[in-house]
Amino acid sequence: MVALSMKTVLKVPEEQAWLEAAQTFIQESLCPTDKEPNVQFTQSVIDCVKTVWLSQGKYQGFTLPLSYSFVSVQNLRTHQRLPCCSHLSWSSSAYQTWAQKARPNGVPLPRERLLLVGTLTDLSGDLEQGSRNGSLYVKDNTGMLSCELIDLDLSWLGHLFLFPSWSYLPPARWNSSGEGHLELWEAPVPVFPLTVSPGPLTPLPVLYPEIASRLLRHRSKFRVEQHNLAGKLIQLSALVKSKKKAYFILSLGELSPTVSQAISHVSIIVQIPAQLVWHRALCPGKAYVLTQLRVSRIRGHHYCVWMTSPFSHLMLLEPECVQELELEGPFLETDSKSLPTSSNFQDKKEPKGLMRDSRLLHYTGIVTGVLNEPAGLYELDGQLGLCLAYQQFHDLRRVMRPGVCLELQDVHLLQSVGGGTTRPVLASCLRGAILLRGFSCQKPGTQSSLQTHGASLYEQLVWERQLGLPLYLWAVKVLEELACKLCPHLLRHQQFLQHSSPGNPSLGLQLLAPTLDALALPSRSIRNAHKEILEEPHHCPLQKYAQLQTPCSFPTLATLAEEGRHRAWASFDPKELLPLPEAAHLPCCQLNHRLAWSWICLPPAAFHPPQALVGVLVASSHKGCLQLRDRSGSLSCLLLAKHSQPLTDPQLIGCLVRTEKFQLVVERDVRSNFPSWKELGMTGFIQKQQARVYAQFFLADALILPVPRSFHHSSAPPQTEPTCLGQSRLFLLSHKEALMKRNFCTSLGTTSEVPKPTLSFHVSGCWLGGTQKKERIGWGPPEPLTVENKDQKVLLIFLGSSVRWFEFLHPGQVYRLVAPGPATPKLFEVEGSSCTSQRPLELAGCVSCLTVQDEWTLELESAQDLPDMLGIHKALSGSLLTDLLGANVFLLPSSVTDSLVSFSAEILSRTVWNTEVRRCVKLTVAIGTADSEFLPRLDIYIEDPHLPPPLGLLPGARVHFNQLEKRISRSHNVYCCFRSSTYVQVLSFPPETTVSAPLPHIYLAELQQGNWGPFQATASCHVISVVSLQLLWVCAHCTSVCPQGRCIRQGPACSTQTSISQASIRLLVEDGTAEAMVTCRNYHVAAALGLCPNEWTSLLEFIRKPGRVVLKFTGPGAQLESSAKIEEPLILYLHTLCTSPSVLRPVVLSFELERKPSNITPLEPPRLQRFQCGEFPLLTRVNPRLQLACLCIQESSEHPNSQGAFTSSC
């Protein structure tokens, strides 16, 4: 070891130890490796450190920084895991003042007492000149680190420096190179004096921009040699890096331009690798000289530009060292031709009033927030957005954090871009430069996975898909929302935001593709950097823009469900559900039953902006339905492959689903105790309310994205993972039973607890072949079967986790039951006698039953791939179609015990009885038959344990009901009930817009024909007579008669004394083809009597005192029944009114049959009736009178007057 010759005597042993450590470090890390250790070299480094240390003025009597230690590049890279800074020339108070700038929103960089010495270079290693790309490095014997410097002097390159103030940032998570970088805060201090190159002995001949640009335009007339150009730097482009080369373009203007020279400038391309570092040294506004420039033509363009040569140099312009070169020729005359001009910009016609022009300006500001680092989005000065995505900002990205000061040259200002962005945005294209003017004292924040992935995908949106800024900002926002929805619990950030390639598409980009394809501008040319920087007028993707109306949003499933609930209850108005005058005549029990269930359907257009549904499709084993899932939760959904086709492929589980065509259904269940219609506006009578929210859509309207296994997080559904070992067996499904809670007995002695009902369902079918084992390329051949085992029918029991397969199993389909794991002999042949008794097996026609294990999976098989089974499949389908879609399957079966019926029908209405005693749902359906013009109607009742009903049983939906139990009421009406064997399949969803079709206009005789007539219709007829009239006031609670408004019920008094009016009238009508008895109730009675509202109200008030009036017209005169004595004027009035022409008149009657059609009781045959025609008696056959219920009475055009007989106009 060489001893140091110190000029001063050491005062303390600490200094001696520090000097020895410094000597060792300098010789190992800084001394040239090809030379012997040099005492002078070592002393120069120590002297440099001492000089900087003493410059702070507060060195506490120590001439050496004993608290500091030298650090090598290698030690920084390998041992410094946290960001840090070091300021040799700063005192502690100066550092504290500096650190206060980071607070309160950030954490200052921690201070480390380290000494950094190294060579500043633009060479990335000991390579040739071609490795230069414009980056800067600090280098010593142990390695090199990339660095950023505010103001670079080109004379510093290649020299050894002490860096008095710097910070080190370890590699960020997004940095694939794994290299940290240095930020050099202050100008480096040279260890050895820098050699200053002497100026030229004679003035340097130069061309100024105006003459240089003319020389380019007239290059064909003169031989243009290499020249020196001088001028003020007025424009500096971004550093453009492509696969082949890197370059930037600068523009020089006149030093003191006159009016005619104000726009004169000349552009120079710098693409020599050794000269790319000039981009860091150039400062707009300063004057420079570039030497030995040549003229070159750009490939693919019609013009020439000045370009540097390998021998070119950059220097500051000193007027005394240059002399303008004098050229002679006609080209010196001023011309107005501009160079260059855009050739295709003016060809594109944009819609007037829609497109806006951005403003080009210069701006200096401080970064105050990082909005999305991979996408290049930041916040400037707390009020502006900054987008760097339209430049190549890889080197700048590692520096960007709050506190960084930037100077933006030729940046575009865009205001009101829309798409959810409210603030103005500054965006820089390739023409403008982003210059670093100050580092941040803040420590970089912890980066989440969302902030570290996706940079290549965002670049793809800009450079390949050519998105404009408004659409790009919206796409970035949506991708961020989708990543928060799906990652990391369902998908991984890295795969979701990966770069999209033909063989490896990005899930995030695929979700956005339908919207981007619809909104992206057509035929937008690929960006050309030379045109974007050089051509005038300037044209780039940021030059013109249109305010973006947000096309759609992707809310979380929890947010969407909550919004649906909010809208459902906000729109819940009992007065609208039960409008007057209908509600005024309903007792409280009927009133509350009518309010017990209601629903709304929200299409995407009901939201602003329209909503899109996105989630991972999973199958719930707790509910037995399909669900879309994201991080916020799950949303139940009902899917159809397409119209009338159910979902059958279990491989859809785990797929990513996106759809903009869906219906968000909210079913409202309300338990209320409204006393009467008068209190419908008081919410205090609502005791309980809950909502069921789900979505329904067609698979054909959705984007289905299979997610590779590696994309799933560890918490993904286990059923999506394929198995490498296992065995399987094919079966053909013939029948599927209801999903409900059933009792299953357990083995004796296993547990003392009483078993609880378990959610489960059964399917029956037959095995197709024997067991198959898993092989490398697929499934092996089936095992041979004995004769007695062929076509063996089996009952499969699904309970527990296997309930998740319920939505995929449908009759007529062939499935493969897969059991993972090692092969087990006769796995699919074991009889599960512990789960079911022998009687259900006999009823199902099955030999044995099998309980499907939780880990088993299902696969859909195509019947076309099974030629031996194709005939069975077709035969089964044909027999089912014949049985289920027969014209009269809902009528009387062949035997009384054969009470199971199947049919397809459209749901017309749904009502609910929800009381503490009984819970029941009634569906009124119109049965679709093949040979009937009019659809018969039927009531279907659903009770426990089938409640709540399956999803999708909504008015307007078309549903197939399989194996309902048909029953006959005491009034001989046919109705159906759910039972355990019932299977329901939704065929189509309710239409989004319902258009009420007018009722068919018929003759009454059409209802007496053998075929089915309409259940509701309109007929023009004449009122022959009034058969009976009843007017009464009843208690709204118990429906007892209320004379003088008081309930007369005996026993406990009613809780309310509210009374309501009710009325009924029976009319005999005919239309010339048949007679009918029509019953009108409540407010239809006023129309039947021809009374206006005031007359009707007055009449009811007269009835309030007796409480009840009944008139029966059995002949001449009327028979009176009442609860009290009624004065003769009222009787006379009603009798006269019912026999007056104002009642016995032509009307247009809308009606429905009092009884639903059935063949339970045969139609009454025509009866013989005697008529007297003058002196001759006639005997003829007369059909029985029809029994109709009035829906509406309208005045006929032949009898427009509807006034009362004895009153004036209301």
Side-chain angles (χ1 to χ4, degrees):
M1 181 178 298
V2 180
L4 291 174
S5 66
M6 301 297 298
K7 298 180 180 179
T8 59
V9 180
L10 297 178
K11 297 181 179 180
V12 291
E14 289 81 0
E15 291 187 352
Q16 177 65 36
W18 188 93
L19 287 173
E20 292 178 356
Q23 175 187 3
T24 303
F25 173 83
I26 294 171
Q27 292 177 357
E28 293 178 354
S29 302
L30 300 178
C31 289
T33 56
D34 56 346
K35 298 181 180 179
E36 293 294 329
N38 192 327
V39 176
Q40 183 179 1
F41 182 92
T42 304
Q43 187 63 45
S44 298
V45 174
I46 294 177
D47 289 344
C48 182
V49 172
K50 184 188 300 184
T51 301
V52 176
W53 167 253
L54 296 177
S55 66
Q56 66 172 321
K58 296 181 180 180
Y59 42 87
Q60 299 177 355
F62 294 98
T63 58
L64 294 173
L66 301 182
S67 60
Y68 283 78
S69 60
F70 285 91
V71 63
S72 65
V73 169
Q74 183 180 8
N75 286 338
L76 276 179
R77 294 172 57 180
T78 56
H79 300 296
Q80 190 63 38
R81 302 296 184 182
L82 299 176
C84 66
C85 66
S86 179
H87 304 282
L88 177 62
S89 59
W90 289 14
S91 62
S92 297
S93 60
Y95 170 76
Q96 293 298 332
T97 303
W98 175 82
Q100 287 298 327
K101 299 179 182 179
R103 298 185 176 92
N105 298 324
V107 178
L109 287 167
R111 186 178 186 181
E112 299 287 344
R113 300 182 181 274
L114 300 174
L115 298 174
L116 180 63
V117 181
T119 302
L120 189 64
T121 179
D122 62 338
L123 271 172
S124 58
D126 297 330
L127 302 175
E128 297 180 356
Q129 193 176 23
S131 64
R132 290 185 168 101
N133 58 5
S135 300
L136 285 178
Y137 303 92
V138 171
K139 173 184 175 183
D140 63 10
N141 295 342
T142 64
M144 64 170 46
L145 269 177
S146 60
C147 67
E148 294 292 337
L149 186 63
I150 301 298
D151 293 315
L152 173 66
D153 189 332
L154 294 178
S155 63
W156 294 347
L157 296 177
H159 294 278
L160 186 67
F161 289 94
L162 167 67
F163 302 100
S165 184
W166 54 273
S167 57
Y168 172 73
L169 281 80
R173 292 179 59 184
W174 55 265
N175 192 342
S176 58
S177 65
E179 298 288 340
H181 75 279
L182 291 166
E183 295 175 351
L184 307 181
W185 286 74
E186 296 180 359
V189 179
V191 174
F192 303 102
L194 299 179
T195 57
V196 179
S197 58
L201 299 178
T202 58
L204 192 67
V206 296
L207 295 177
Y208 287 100
E210 183 179 8
I211 302 301
S213 60
R214 293 183 191 176
L215 188 62
L216 284 179
R217 292 195 291 272
H218 298 277
R219 63 191 177 280
S220 59
K221 300 179 181 180
F222 298 90
R223 183 172 179 267
V224 181
E225 299 176 351
Q226 291 186 348
H227 289 285
N228 307 321
L229 268 62
K232 182 189 296 184
L233 181 63
I234 61 173
Q235 182 179 317
L236 181 64
S237 78
L239 181 60
V240 181
K241 296 181 180 180
S242 62
K243 294 181 179 179
K244 297 181 179 180
K245 59 184 177 180
Y247 61 92
F248 68 92
I249 300 176
L250 59 94
S251 295
L252 298 180
E254 297 293 336
L255 299 179
S256 300
T258 61
V259 176
S260 61
Q261 296 175 334
I263 60 173
S264 296
H265 67 274
V266 60
S267 298
I268 304 169
I269 297 180
V270 180
Q271 63 181 14
I272 304 299
Q275 300 167 0
L276 296 178
V277 74
W278 294 0
H279 192 272
R280 297 175 174 271
L282 290 168
C283 182
K286 292 185 178 181
Y288 295 94
V289 175
L290 283 83
T291 65
Q292 301 188 46
L293 302 182
R294 57 187 176 89
V295 177
S296 178
R297 180 184 295 274
I298 301 177
R299 181 178 299 178
H301 300 268
H302 65 281
Y303 49 81
C304 294
V305 295
W306 291 99
M307 188 176 296
T308 60
S309 66
F311 308 101
S312 299
H313 294 279
L314 172 69
M315 59 186 71
L316 289 172
L317 174 61
E318 298 179 5
E320 64 275 7
C321 297
V322 298
Q323 179 181 1
E324 184 175 4
L325 181 64
E326 296 182 0
L327 299 177
E328 297 181 357
F331 65 88
L332 295 178
E333 300 177 0
T334 304
D335 57 37
S336 59
K337 185 177 179 181
S338 61
L339 174 75
T341 58
S342 176
S343 59
N344 58 355
F345 173 67
Q346 300 295 338
D347 296 338
K348 296 184 179 180
K349 296 182 180 180
E350 305 291 354
K352 294 183 178 180
L354 297 178
M355 303 302 295
R356 305 181 182 184
D357 290 318
S358 61
R359 290 180 54 194
L360 271 179
L361 49 84
H362 302 320
Y363 187 86
T364 301
I366 296 177
V367 176
T368 53
V370 179
L371 305 180
N372 190 318
E373 184 176 351
L377 300 181
Y378 303 90
E379 181 188 69
L380 277 182
D381 297 330
Q383 57 186 357
L384 293 174
L386 173 62
C387 177
L388 304 182
Y390 291 82
Q391 276 197 6
Q392 298 167 327
F393 67 105
H394 301 86
D395 294 338
L396 192 61
R397 177 184 174 188
R398 61 188 182 182
V399 183
M400 296 290 286
R401 61 185 185 275
V404 169
C405 183
L406 299 177
E407 179 183 347
L408 308 175
Q409 294 287 325
D410 290 322
V411 65
H412 292 265
L413 173 63
L414 296 86
Q415 303 185 45
S416 302
V417 296
T421 302
T422 57
R423 68 180 75 190
V425 180
L426 295 174
S428 184
C429 65
L430 296 178
R431 183 172 184 170
I434 304 174
L435 305 178
L436 189 62
R437 291 295 177 242
F439 295 111
S440 171
C441 59
Q442 289 190 22
K443 179 181 178 182
T446 303
Q447 292 182 318
S448 64
S449 297
L450 180 61
Q451 297 171 324
T452 57
H453 298 294
S456 59
L457 176 60
Y458 296 127
E459 291 178 6
Q460 191 175 13
L461 294 177
V462 172
W463 297 94
E464 296 184 17
R465 297 191 68 96
Q466 302 290 310
L467 298 187
L469 182 65
L471 189 54
Y472 174 75
L473 294 178
W474 175 82
V476 171
K477 178 184 176 183
V478 168
L479 283 173
E480 188 173 355
E481 292 175 352
L482 289 174
C484 292
K485 276 169 55 71
L486 302 172
C487 305
H489 299 296
L490 301 174
L491 302 172
R492 300 181 186 275
H493 282 97
Q494 183 176 0
Q495 288 87 353
F496 182 76
L497 297 174
Q498 71 177 2
H499 183 273
S500 185
S501 58
N504 193 18
S506 167
L507 289 176
L509 187 56
Q510 289 183 85
L511 288 177
L512 286 187
T515 305
L516 297 182
D517 294 340
L519 294 179
L521 295 178
S523 65
R524 170 168 280 182
S525 58
I526 299 177
R527 292 177 67 180
N528 185 293
H530 289 102
K531 286 185 177 181
E532 191 169 313
I533 299 173
L534 294 173
E535 286 188 348
E536 294 292 347
H538 174 59
H539 178 55
C540 72
L542 303 172
Q543 181 64 26
K544 286 186 175 291
Y545 68 99
Q547 185 175 9
L548 178 67
Q549 299 296 328
T550 304
C552 62
S553 63
F554 299 84
T556 63
L557 297 177
T559 301
L560 184 62
E562 184 59 32
E563 178 66 17
R565 291 189 188 93
H566 173 74
R567 294 199 178 198
W569 295 119
S571 62
F572 178 73
D573 187 358
K575 292 183 178 180
E576 290 186 2
L577 295 175
L578 291 176
L580 292 175
E582 179 185 7
H585 305 284
L586 295 177
C588 65
C589 58
Q590 295 184 17
L591 196 73
N592 292 304
H593 285 326
R594 296 278 292 274
L595 295 174
W597 183 88
S598 59
W599 70 292
I600 64 169
C601 179
L602 299 174
F607 303 89
H608 182 75
Q611 308 284 296
L613 201 59
V614 173
V616 176
L617 187 66
V618 297
S620 172
S621 59
H622 301 286
K623 298 181 179 181
C625 65
L626 295 177
Q627 294 178 335
L628 288 178
R629 185 171 297 173
D630 62 12
R631 286 185 60 187
S632 67
S634 58
L635 177 67
S636 299
C637 56
L638 177 62
L639 274 70
L640 294 179
K642 52 184 179 180
H643 189 76
S644 300
Q645 291 191 7
L647 211 62
T648 57
D649 190 2
Q651 295 297 323
L652 292 172
I653 296 180
C655 290
L656 194 58
V657 179
R658 175 198 191 270
T659 180
E660 296 180 32
K661 296 181 180 180
F662 65 94
Q663 294 177 341
L664 185 67
V665 178
V666 185
E667 298 183 11
R668 298 175 294 212
D669 290 296
V670 176
R671 181 177 296 178
S672 60
N673 60 348
F674 289 102
S676 68
W677 64 274
K678 297 179 181 179
E679 292 82 13
L680 287 180
M682 303 179 184
T683 58
F685 291 99
I686 298 178
Q687 298 173 323
K688 182 181 179 181
Q689 61 184 27
Q690 59 184 9
R692 181 166 72 161
V693 186
Y694 59 94
Q696 52 188 21
F697 56 92
F698 291 104
L699 208 60
D701 295 333
L703 177 65
I704 308 298
L705 301 177
V707 181
R709 180 186 176 188
S710 59
F711 279 32
H712 285 289
H713 195 266
S714 58
S715 62
Q719 60 265 28
T720 61
E721 300 183 3
T723 57
C724 56
L725 294 176
Q727 51 190 334
S728 67
R729 195 171 183 183
L730 296 174
F731 71 94
L732 175 64
L733 195 149
S734 59
H735 177 67
K736 171 183 172 182
E737 296 193 356
L739 178 66
M740 54 182 287
K741 289 187 176 182
R742 292 177 171 86
N743 291 319
F744 289 96
C745 55
T746 58
S747 302
L748 297 177
T750 56
T751 178
S752 59
E753 297 181 1
V754 178
K756 297 181 180 179
T758 304
L759 189 67
S760 63
F761 69 97
H762 303 163
V763 300
S764 59
C766 59
W767 295 116
L768 302 181
T771 303
Q772 297 174 265
K773 295 182 179 180
K774 186 72 174 179
E775 296 181 352
R776 282 188 175 182
I777 58 176
W779 295 104
E783 296 179 355
L785 297 175
T786 59
V787 177
E788 60 272 11
N789 289 334
K790 288 187 176 180
D791 299 332
Q792 181 183 5
K793 294 185 179 180
V794 64
L795 181 70
L796 298 180
I797 301 175
F798 292 80
L799 70 159
S801 181
S802 63
V803 169
R804 66 185 184 271
W805 305 112
F806 178 79
E807 290 292 338
F808 297 98
L809 292 168
H810 299 280
Q813 300 292 336
V814 178
Y815 298 91
R816 182 182 296 276
L817 190 61
V818 181
T824 303
K826 297 184 179 182
L827 179 64
F828 302 111
E829 300 177 8
V830 178
E831 180 178 352
S833 59
S834 62
C835 295
T836 184
S837 63
Q838 193 66 24
R839 178 58 179 168
L841 294 178
E842 294 176 357
L843 294 177
C846 301
V847 179
S848 63
C849 73
L850 182 67
T851 302
V852 178
Q853 303 301 315
D854 293 346
E855 66 275 9
W856 292 3
T857 60
L858 280 179
E859 297 177 3
L860 178 67
E861 294 290 336
S862 174
Q864 298 178 356
D865 300 335
L866 306 169
D868 297 337
M869 309 306 165
L870 191 58
I872 298 178
H873 177 68
K874 287 185 176 180
L876 178 62
S877 300
S879 63
L880 286 175
L881 288 175
T882 303
D883 295 337
L884 300 181
L885 301 181
N888 297 321
V889 296
F890 61 95
L891 301 177
L892 183 65
S894 57
S895 64
V896 178
T897 57
D898 186 13
S899 61
L900 298 183
V901 293
S902 303
F903 52 84
S904 296
E906 179 184 347
I907 299 178
L908 301 178
S909 65
R910 173 173 167 176
T911 54
V912 173
W913 281 265
N914 191 4
T915 63
E916 297 179 357
V917 179
R918 184 189 182 196
R919 297 177 61 217
C920 177
V921 175
K922 184 183 81 170
L923 303 177
T924 300
V925 301
I927 301 174
T929 59
D931 56 352
S932 178
E933 180 183 0
F934 306 109
L935 305 180
R937 301 194 176 192
L938 192 67
D939 289 338
I940 302 174
Y941 293 88
I942 310 174
E943 296 181 305
D944 282 328
H946 301 282
L947 295 178
L951 303 181
L953 299 186
L954 304 171
R958 187 162 184 79
V959 183
H960 177 74
F961 298 93
N962 189 30
Q963 292 199 4
L964 289 171
E965 182 180 3
K966 190 196 71 174
R967 296 179 182 177
I968 302 171
S969 67
R970 286 175 292 182
S971 59
H972 301 291
N973 279 329
V974 177
Y975 66 97
C976 292
C977 295
F978 271 46
R979 54 172 289 167
S980 60
S981 62
T982 300
Y983 161 62
V984 176
Q985 176 183 329
V986 177
L987 301 178
S988 63
F989 305 131
E992 293 186 2
T993 57
T994 57
V995 179
S996 56
L999 297 177
H1001 198 93
I1002 65 170
Y1003 293 105
L1004 295 179
E1006 295 181 39
L1007 299 175
Q1008 296 176 332
Q1009 298 175 0
N1011 56 346
W1012 296 112
F1015 181 70
Q1016 294 180 341
T1018 300
S1020 298
C1021 52
H1022 190 280
V1023 179
I1024 300 175
S1025 64
V1026 177
V1027 178
S1028 66
L1029 173 65
Q1030 180 178 243
L1031 303 174
L1032 68 162
W1033 287 84
V1034 299
C1035 175
H1037 179 71
C1038 67
T1039 67
S1040 300
V1041 177
C1042 292
Q1044 299 182 351
R1046 297 185 182 90
C1047 179
I1048 62 174
R1049 188 182 72 166
Q1050 299 297 326
C1054 290
S1055 58
T1056 177
Q1057 291 296 323
T1058 304
S1059 59
I1060 58 174
S1061 63
Q1062 291 186 345
S1064 66
I1065 189 172
R1066 300 195 73 191
L1067 305 174
L1068 181 62
V1069 301
E1070 58 86 22
D1071 66 345
T1073 64
E1075 292 182 348
M1077 190 69 68
V1078 181
T1079 302
C1080 304
R1081 300 185 184 278
N1082 298 325
Y1083 61 94
H1084 294 307
V1085 176
L1089 296 176
L1091 300 178
C1092 69
N1094 289 342
E1095 293 173 338
W1096 175 245
T1097 303
S1098 299
L1099 177 60
L1100 292 177
E1101 288 301 321
F1102 278 111
I1103 305 299
R1104 185 184 291 272
K1105 182 178 180 181
R1108 181 170 180 259
V1109 171
V1110 179
L1111 296 178
K1112 291 184 179 180
F1113 295 83
T1114 58
Q1119 296 180 358
L1120 177 62
E1121 293 184 10
S1122 66
S1123 59
K1125 294 182 179 180
I1126 301 178
E1127 298 180 1
E1128 293 298 328
L1130 180 59
I1131 299 297
L1132 178 62
Y1133 171 77
L1134 292 176
H1135 177 269
T1136 306
L1137 178 63
C1138 292
T1139 57
S1140 67
S1142 62
V1143 176
L1144 308 180
R1145 66 193 190 278
V1147 294
V1148 178
L1149 178 67
S1150 298
F1151 61 87
E1152 68 179 8
L1153 302 179
E1154 274 197 345
R1155 285 178 48 196
K1156 296 181 175 62
S1158 70
N1159 284 343
I1160 300 303
T1161 56
L1163 294 177
E1164 183 181 347
R1167 69 182 186 277
L1168 287 174
Q1169 186 171 347
R1170 185 182 299 275
F1171 293 90
Q1172 188 70 28
C1173 183
E1175 299 178 357
F1176 302 97
L1178 299 177
L1179 189 64
T1180 183
R1181 293 184 181 275
V1182 178
N1183 289 321
R1185 290 172 179 171
L1186 298 167
Q1187 303 295 323
L1188 306 178
C1190 174
L1191 297 177
C1192 179
I1193 291 183
Q1194 296 177 331
E1195 299 300 323
S1196 174
S1197 58
E1198 301 175 0
H1199 190 79
N1201 185 15
S1202 61
Q1203 302 266 333
F1206 307 103
T1207 59
S1208 60
S1209 174
C1210 293

